[in-house]
């Protein structure tokens, strides 16, 4: 995965919605979800989470290019699944070291990050980057949002 150099803090959605992402109430199944790209693509078809004001829409619209216009533009990023977030957590020190070389980048923090993995219409899974996976209310719980992409298409 490519981890975006910047992040924001947002709600997951504007209203209760089953947005079409991988959905499970089982923690182990949620931790084994690697479908962030497909889930985000489904989720942004719902107005409740399609704008850049909400986690899935923010990630889908994220763009990062250099002064020459080269980089990853909107449509190439997604909201990571819970499994993808666990991989980020496992490599957090290395990722933060790499981010330290990017001008304007922000370090990953030991705080709640939203995932694209849904619990149900009311909740989505999140990962506190101390290793604790739980589900949080989509419309009232703010979490950090860090887009991811792939080295290859």
């Amino acid at each position: 995965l490519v981890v975006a150099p910047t992040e924001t803090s947002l709600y997951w959605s504007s209203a209760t919605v089953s947005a079409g992402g991988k959905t499970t109430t089982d923690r182990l199944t949620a931790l084994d979800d690697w479908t962030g790209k497909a889930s985000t693509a489904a989720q942004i078809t719902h107005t409740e989470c399609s704008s850049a004001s909400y986690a899935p829409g923010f990630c889908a619209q994220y763009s990062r290019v250099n002064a020459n216009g080269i980089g990853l533009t909107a449509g190439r990023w997604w909201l990571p699944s819970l499994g993808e977030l666990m991989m980020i957590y496992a490599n957090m020190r290395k990722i933060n070291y790499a981010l330290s070389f990017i001008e304007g980048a922000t370090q990953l923090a030991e705080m709640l990050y939203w995932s694209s993995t849904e619990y149900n219409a009311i909740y989505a899974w999140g990962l506190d980057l101390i290793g604790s996976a739980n589900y949080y209310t989509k419309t009232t719980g703010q979490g950090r949002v860090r887009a991811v992409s792939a080295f290859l298409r």
Side-chain angles (χ1 to χ4, degrees):
L1 286 177
V2 175
V3 177
T6 60
E7 63 185 39
T8 191
S9 183
L10 298 170
Y11 297 108
W12 199 94
S13 65
S14 64
T16 299
V17 60
S18 289
K22 170 78 174 189
T23 303
T24 181
T25 58
D26 180 70
R27 184 180 314 276
L28 291 178
T29 302
L31 288 166
D32 196 33
D33 177 19
W34 299 91
T35 63
K37 185 176 184 180
S39 289
T40 302
Q43 290 158 348
I44 62 171
T45 65
H46 297 268
T47 57
E48 296 89 349
C49 46
S50 63
S51 86
S53 298
Y54 302 102
F58 173 84
C59 292
Q61 295 174 42
Y62 189 84
S63 181
R64 181 73 180 206
V65 296
N66 64 19
N68 298 321
I70 298 170
L72 295 170
T73 55
R76 301 279 308 275
W77 298 90
W78 64 88
L79 181 61
S81 65
L82 194 57
E84 291 164 338
L85 274 176
M86 281 299 292
M87 186 170 59
I88 290 169
Y89 167 68
N91 293 285
M92 187 170 153
R93 286 187 180 158
K94 294 173 189 172
I95 293 167
N96 278 343
Y97 179 73
L99 289 170
S100 73
F101 293 101
I102 301 171
E103 186 177 331
T106 55
Q107 302 280 296
L108 294 165
E110 292 180 342
M111 301 192 66
L112 167 67
Y113 284 81
W114 280 120
S115 82
S116 63
T117 309
E118 297 181 68
Y119 183 90
N120 59 22
I122 299 169
Y123 303 105
W125 289 95
L127 182 69
D128 193 327
L129 289 189
I130 57 170
S132 176
N134 287 296
Y135 53 92
Y136 301 90
T137 308
K138 294 176 179 179
T139 58
T140 60
Q142 276 201 330
R144 292 197 181 208
V145 180
R146 181 77 68 143
V148 297
S149 189
F151 282 108
L152 304 173
R153 289 184 192 210

